[in-house]
């Protein structure tokens, strides 16, 4: 049993938009975006659960929008949209005055999208098509501004990030419409063992436990609707949380079309 829900933004102007942007590791605060200041822009705020106080951390303006935060909520990745095929990434450091640091200086059209921070917040991972037809995965050392290519294939790399506990590094590649997932055990510096996934599915991790024993994610396959699973990495098994198919179809074999 739990308490009844509480509207944390009850004092906001009517029609204001709010979006959750991540909780702190200590559980005392969380980040969120809101356009309460200006209906055109989503600013970044921090909410303190004990006091109900909101603190404005960063103001959105023009073409720039908040994308993601490091786990300690000290660094923020900002996306500047120049056109449908051209944008930039900036770094905002919490409490540091001055202009945001441009991370993706380039010429011509190129798209950049952040995919995750390293657990210590010192490295940002992002995908870009700056060097070819397909999106590749890169990392940038935020102190030295040194960029390294992490993964490039003849298909779009869609994601690259660490799990919550930092034990695994996960990438996702769109191979002709079929998602291919790859997991690496950072501690062992070797591919991570996964239980057999049904139908050659690709796993998109959306959350993990603090210890990284349990991974929660969606299985994507051509032979079934997207389904939510929990994977036990220790026991090497997986459990479907919700059956999205009706009973009349759930047990029938499905085939992939051509």
């Amino acid at each position: 049993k739990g308490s009844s829900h509480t509207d944390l933004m009850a004092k906001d102007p009517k029609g204001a938009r709010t979006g959750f942007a991540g909780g702190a590791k200590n559980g005392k605060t969380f980040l969120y975006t809101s356009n309460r200041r200006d209906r055109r822009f989503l600013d970044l705020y921090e909410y303190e659960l004990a006091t109900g106080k909101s603190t404005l951390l960063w103001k959105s303006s023009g073409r720039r929008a908040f994308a993601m935060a490091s786990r300690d909520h000290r660094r923020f990745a900002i996306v500047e949209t120049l056109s449908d095929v051209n944008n930039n990434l900036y770094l905002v450091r919490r409490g540091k005055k001055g202009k945001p640091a441009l991370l993706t200086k380039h010429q011509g059209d190129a798209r950049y999208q952040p995919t995750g921070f390293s657990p210590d917040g010192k490295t940002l991972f992002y995908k870009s098509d700056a060097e070819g037809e397909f999106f590749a995965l890169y990392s940038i050392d935020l102190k030295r501004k040194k960029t390294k290519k992490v993964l490039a294939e003849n298909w779009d790399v869609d994601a690259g990030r660490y799990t919550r506990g930092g034990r695994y590094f996960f990438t996702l590649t769109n191979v002709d419409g079929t998602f291919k997932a790859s997991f690496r055990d950072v501690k062992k510096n070797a591919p991570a063992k996964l239980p057999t996934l049904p139908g050659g599915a690709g796993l998109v991790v959306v959350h993990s436990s603090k210890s990284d024993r349990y991974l929660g994610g969606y299985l994507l396959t051509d032979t079934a609707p997207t389904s939510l699973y929990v994977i036990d990495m220790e026991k090497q098994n997986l459990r479907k949380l919700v059956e999205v198919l009706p009973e009349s179809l759930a047990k029938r074999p499905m085939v992939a079309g051509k």
Side-chain angles (χ1 to χ4, degrees):
K1 295 182 179 181
S3 60
S4 59
H5 69 272
T6 302
D7 185 358
L8 302 180
M9 308 297 160
K11 296 181 180 180
D12 274 8
K14 185 178 180 180
R17 292 184 292 134
T18 304
F20 182 73
K25 292 180 68 175
N26 61 14
K28 295 181 179 181
T29 62
F30 66 83
L31 302 180
Y32 69 95
T33 57
S34 175
N35 68 341
R36 67 166 63 101
R37 178 185 63 88
D38 188 318
R39 294 296 179 93
R40 298 171 298 171
F41 307 118
L42 286 169
D43 300 327
L44 181 65
Y45 293 83
E46 182 178 65
Y47 185 91
E48 188 176 343
L49 291 168
T51 64
K53 178 184 177 182
S54 287
T55 302
L56 177 62
L57 301 180
W58 177 77
K59 290 182 179 180
S60 176
S61 61
R63 299 172 174 176
R64 297 181 185 180
F66 169 77
M68 62 175 51
S70 59
R71 298 186 185 188
D72 60 2
H73 296 174
R74 304 301 302 178
R75 301 170 181 87
F76 311 129
I78 306 299
V79 175
E80 178 185 44
T81 301
L82 303 174
S83 73
D84 290 343
V85 293
N86 193 22
N87 67 285
N88 273 313
L89 297 182
Y90 288 82
L91 176 69
V92 170
R93 295 181 184 273
R94 183 170 179 171
K96 184 177 181 179
K97 297 181 179 180
K99 296 181 179 180
L102 175 62
L103 301 178
T104 54
K105 186 177 181 180
H106 66 281
Q107 295 181 342
D109 291 335
R111 291 174 292 177
Y112 300 88
Q113 182 177 335
T115 63
F117 281 90
S118 60
D120 62 8
K122 296 180 179 180
T123 301
L124 176 67
F125 293 88
Y126 65 90
K127 65 178 186 178
S128 176
D129 62 356
E131 296 184 9
E133 176 184 356
F134 300 102
F135 279 98
L137 181 66
Y138 300 84
S139 66
I140 179 169
D141 183 312
L142 297 174
K143 183 178 181 179
R144 297 184 298 165
K145 302 298 188 295
K146 296 292 184 180
T147 299
K148 181 173 67 175
K149 186 179 291 184
V150 177
L151 177 64
E153 300 190 19
N154 290 326
W155 306 99
D156 286 329
V157 180
D158 276 357
R161 60 180 178 269
Y162 284 90
T163 49
R164 183 182 180 188
R167 174 69 183 271
Y168 305 106
F169 187 77
F170 151 74
T171 63
L172 189 71
T173 305
N174 187 339
V175 181
D176 197 21
T178 299
F179 288 94
K180 173 188 174 184
S182 174
F183 284 82
R184 189 160 193 85
D185 188 318
V186 178
K187 185 177 181 180
K188 296 180 179 179
N189 193 26
K193 184 180 179 182
L194 289 173
T196 302
L197 305 179
L203 175 65
V204 181
V205 174
V206 294
H207 203 59
S208 60
S209 61
K210 290 183 178 180
S211 65
D212 280 343
R213 173 178 173 177
Y214 299 101
L215 305 180
Y218 293 98
L219 290 192
L220 306 179
T221 173
D222 291 336
T223 59
T226 301
S227 301
L228 183 61
Y229 282 77
V230 169
I231 294 179
D232 185 332
M233 296 294 285
E234 182 177 304
K235 294 186 177 180
Q236 287 292 294
N237 59 35
L238 67 163
R239 178 167 60 93
K240 183 186 289 189
L241 298 183
V242 179
E243 178 56 74
V244 296
L245 288 173
E247 187 176 350
S248 59
L249 295 176
K251 296 183 180 181
R252 292 192 178 188
M254 303 288 178
V255 296
K258 293 184 179 180

